[in-house]
Amino acid sequence: MNFRHDLIIVGAGLAGLRAAVECADEDVGVVSKVLPTRSHSGAAQGGITASIGNEEEDRWEWHMFDTVKGSDYLADQDAVEVMVRDAPRAVYELEHMGVPFNRTRDGKIAQRTFGGHTRDYGEKPVKRACYAADRTGRVVLDTLYDQCLRRGVKFYPEHYVLSLVFEDGRCGGVVSFDLSSGELDLLEAKAVLLATGGCGKIYETTSNGYASTGDGLDLAYQSCIPLEDMEFVQFHPTGLYPLGILVSEAARGEGGVLVNGLGERFMERYAPTVKDLAPRDIISRAILTEIKEGRGVDGKDFVHLDLTRLGEAKITERLWEITSFARIYLGIDPVHTPIPVLPTCHYIMGGIPTDMDGRVLIDEKGMAAKGLYAAGECACVSVHGANRLGCNSLLDVLVFGRRSGIAIKEEISKSEHQALSSEPLRLAKQKIAGLLAHEGSEKIDGIRRSMRSLMMEYCSIFRNENGLKKGLEEIGSLKERYNDINLQDKGRSFNYELMEAIELEHQLSICEAILLSALHRKESRGAHIREDYPERDDRQYLKHTLIFRNQKPEIRYKPVKITRFQPEERIY
Ligand SMILES: Cc1cc2nc3c(=O)[nH]c(=O)nc-3n(C[C@H](O)[C@H](O)[C@H](O)COP(=O)(O)OP(=O)(O)OC[C@H]3O[C@@H](n4cnc5c(N)ncnc54)[C@H](O)[C@@H]3O)c2cc1C
C-alpha cells in the first residue's frame, strides 16, 4: 500500500516523539518496529541534566565545561553550548507536559549528583540530574506519547523500515514492512527523520534492549551517508554481573560506592576528587584494571557496588526498580548485600553526522542531505565526543529532537510532495522473497553469537591493532556465512526471524564501521583505549572520524569545533 504524510519519523523513542510533538500541526506519521512505549528510552533510569540549581548553585557554563571535559575534548563546543543553555527550558517543558519528577521539600524539581557533573569547573560533584525515582525514561516516554496522541500524530506500530527512498537526490520516504500482516508499504513524505536509537546489541554484554540493533545507522550508511566517530562505544561501569542489565549511576549518585576484592574503595586512587562519580570511561577502565590485576571479588570478573550504607528507606524510595533487578535476577537484597557488577555496553557516541538542527551531513565540509534528518542516539551532533556524561543523553534527544522538528516544519512548509516510483517497493519485495526462499545451511543465531563475542573480545574497552584486524577478518567471514542463511519461519505474520535476519545484516555492517574507525584512530581518548597507543594525541587526532561505505570503506576526518575550552589533561 501507499501512504502519504508531510513528515515520516522512523522511531518512537524520546527523540522521535519530541520531534513529533513539535510538528504535530502538520501531517506526521511515526513508524516504530516495537510498540512506541517499548522503545529503549523507556528504560532510562537515572535522569536528565539541567543547571536549574534547585538543590545548590549551578550554572550552564559549568555544565558545558563538564560535558566538554567528559567528552575528552572531542565534542563540538558550539553544539554543547546550545544543548546546556536549552536544558532548563527542556526540563520545565516536560514538567508542564505532566512528567511527575521527584520533588524537594519545598516542591521544586529534585536533583541528584551524577558522574562527571561538577560545580566550579571540577571542584566537587553538583546535583544536576532531574529525576523521577529510577524510572525517568519511562515517565517521560509515556508523557510524550500521550502528548502525541492528544495532538493526532499517526502511529505505525510494529512496522519495520527496510529502506530509505531517495529520488532526484532527495529523501522522499521509506519502505516499511507491517510485522503483523507481512505487507510492504511505501510511505511518502516531504521529509524523513531517523530517530532509531543505538546499537548496543552488537555486544554480548549490554544494557540495551532487543530493539537496539542500529538499523537507522546502517540505513544511512547504505545510502552513501558517512558515519561519524563510530569507534567511541560507551561501556557503563555497573552492569549486573553476569547479565549486563544496568544498575544506574543514580545508585552512586545517591551514595553507593565501588569496592574491590580487598574491600578497598579503589576509585579513590583513580579519581581522588570525585571518586565514584568520575565519568564512565574512567570508572569502567578502573574496574577492568582492578580485575586484571587480581583484585576482583573472590578472584572473579566483577567488583562490588555497595549500597548497604544507604539504608532501606532511601533505597526503596529512590532506587526501587534497579534494586529489584538484583533481587529478581541474582536473588540478593542490596539493602544488606553488595551487588556484583561489571562494565556493560551502553551507548554509542558516534552516529549519523548532523548539524544542530538535525540536518544529515553527507561530507566533511558540512553539505546537507535533502529531505533527511536524524536525532537522538543514532545521530552525532556531536555533543558527547569520545565519552558521554550520564543523563546528558535524555537532554540531547529532547533538545535536538525539538530543534529537528522546528527545522523540518520550516522545510515542509516550503516544499511539495514528489511522486515516488514503485521501484523501491519492488526491490524490497525481492529482498524479502529472496531471504524467505533461500535454502542455506547457516542459522542467524550462530552468526549473531559469534559477532557479539568477537566485538567483546576485540573491540570493547581495551583495543589494539592485532585484535582489531582479527575482528575485521572475522566480521568478513561472518558476512560470507550470512549469505548462506536459512530461515526456519517462512510465514508472513509476525515473522521475527525474518526481521532479525535483516537486523543482523545491519549489525554486521556497523561492526565493520566501528572496527575500522577504531583501527585508524591511533591514540587513546575517552571510551576508545588503544593498548598500543596509550596516550591522547591532540596533535594528530583532535578530529572527528568519518567513515564512508563507498565500494570499499574509506576513512576521512573533519575538525572539532572548539570555542570556550582548550583541551587539557583530564584529572578528576
Ligand atoms: C538501560 C538504559 C538506561 C539509560 N538511562 C539513561 C538516563 O538515565 N539518562 C540519560 O540521559 N540517558 C540514559 N540512557 C540513554 C538513553 O536512554 C538513550 O540514549 C535514548 O533514550 C535514546 O533515545 P532515542 O529516541 O534516540 O532511541 P530509542 O529510545 O532507542 O528508540 C528507537 C526507536 O527506533 C525504532 N526503530 C529502530 N529501528 C527501526 C526500524 N528499522 N524500523 C522502524 N522503527 C525502528 C524503535 O522501534 C524505537 O521506537 C539509558 C540507556 C539505557 C539502555
Side-chain angles (χ1 to χ4, degrees), residues 10-16 31-36 38-49 114 136-137 141 159-162 195-198 207-209 211-216 219 246 248 280 346-347 375-378 388-395 397 506:
V10 188
L14 288 180
V31 190
S32 172
K33 65 179 176 179
V34 298
L35 291 172
R38 305 296 297 172
S39 301
H40 188 65
S41 292
Q45 301 169 349
I48 168 169
T49 43
F114 239 78
T136 313
L141 190 68
H159 280 61
Y160 184 74
V161 169
L162 290 168
T196 49
S207 66
N208 282 198
S212 300
T213 52
D215 303 350
L219 287 173
L246 190 73
S248 166
R280 291 170 179 173
H346 187 58
Y347 183 87
E377 192 171 335
C378 72
R388 170 174 77 80
L389 291 190
C391 294
N392 264 357
S393 174
L394 292 195
L395 180 60
V397 302
H506 291 313

Side-chain angles (χ1 to χ4, degrees), residues 108-282:
K108 294 180 182 163
I109 295 173
Q111 296 185 280
R112 56 163 63 123
T113 50
F114 239 78
H117 292 283
T118 67
R119 54 170 297 137
D120 277 326
Y121 306 100
E123 275 301 302
K124 63 183 190 100
V126 72
K127 291 184 175 174
R128 185 175 288 150
C130 310
Y131 60 95
D134 50 1
R135 290 180 289 268
T136 313
R138 174 82 276 136
V139 296
V140 179
L141 190 68
D142 287 349
T143 304
L144 283 184
Y145 185 55
D146 284 350
Q147 293 290 333
C148 285
L149 294 180
R150 202 177 122 213
R151 291 168 157 88
V153 171
K154 159 87 180 155
F155 281 90
Y156 294 84
E158 299 187 302
H159 280 61
Y160 184 74
V161 169
L162 290 168
S163 59
L164 300 176
V165 178
F166 282 87
E167 256 174 44
D168 301 328
R170 175 177 192 89
C171 186
V174 301
V175 176
S176 90
F177 178 75
D178 179 344
L179 287 162
S180 72
S181 67
E183 292 296 319
L184 287 175
D185 300 314
L186 181 64
L187 291 108
E188 297 182 359
K190 294 182 187 172
V192 172
L193 171 72
L194 288 172
T196 49
C199 61
K201 275 287 170 190
I202 56 179
Y203 287 87
E204 199 168 276
T205 307
T206 177
S207 66
N208 282 198
Y210 281 93
S212 300
T213 52
D215 303 350
L217 296 167
D218 194 45
L219 287 173
Y221 192 47
Q222 307 238 4
S223 310
C224 299
I225 288 154
L227 295 177
E228 181 171 341
D229 290 340
M230 291 297 282
E231 60 273 40
F232 298 105
V233 179
Q234 177 164 82
F235 274 71
H236 191 294
T238 56
L240 216 54
Y241 175 86
L243 305 164
I245 295 172
L246 190 73
V247 184
S248 166
E249 217 165 290
R252 280 171 285 129
E254 296 291 353
V257 294
L258 290 162
V259 179
N260 67 14
L262 303 177
E264 295 169 334
R265 281 191 64 184
F266 56 91
M267 280 315 299
E268 289 177 347
R269 272 186 274 121
Y270 296 88
T273 309
V274 292
K275 305 185 181 82
D276 299 278
L277 289 172
R280 291 170 179 173
D281 55 336
I282 292 176

Side-chain angles (χ1 to χ4, degrees), residues 424-444:
L425 205 50
R426 190 190 66 75
L427 287 173
K429 277 187 183 148
Q430 197 177 27
K431 177 171 177 145
I432 299 282
L435 277 167
L436 290 174
H438 193 265
E439 298 284 345
S441 57
E442 294 283 353
K443 296 217 173 70
I444 51 173

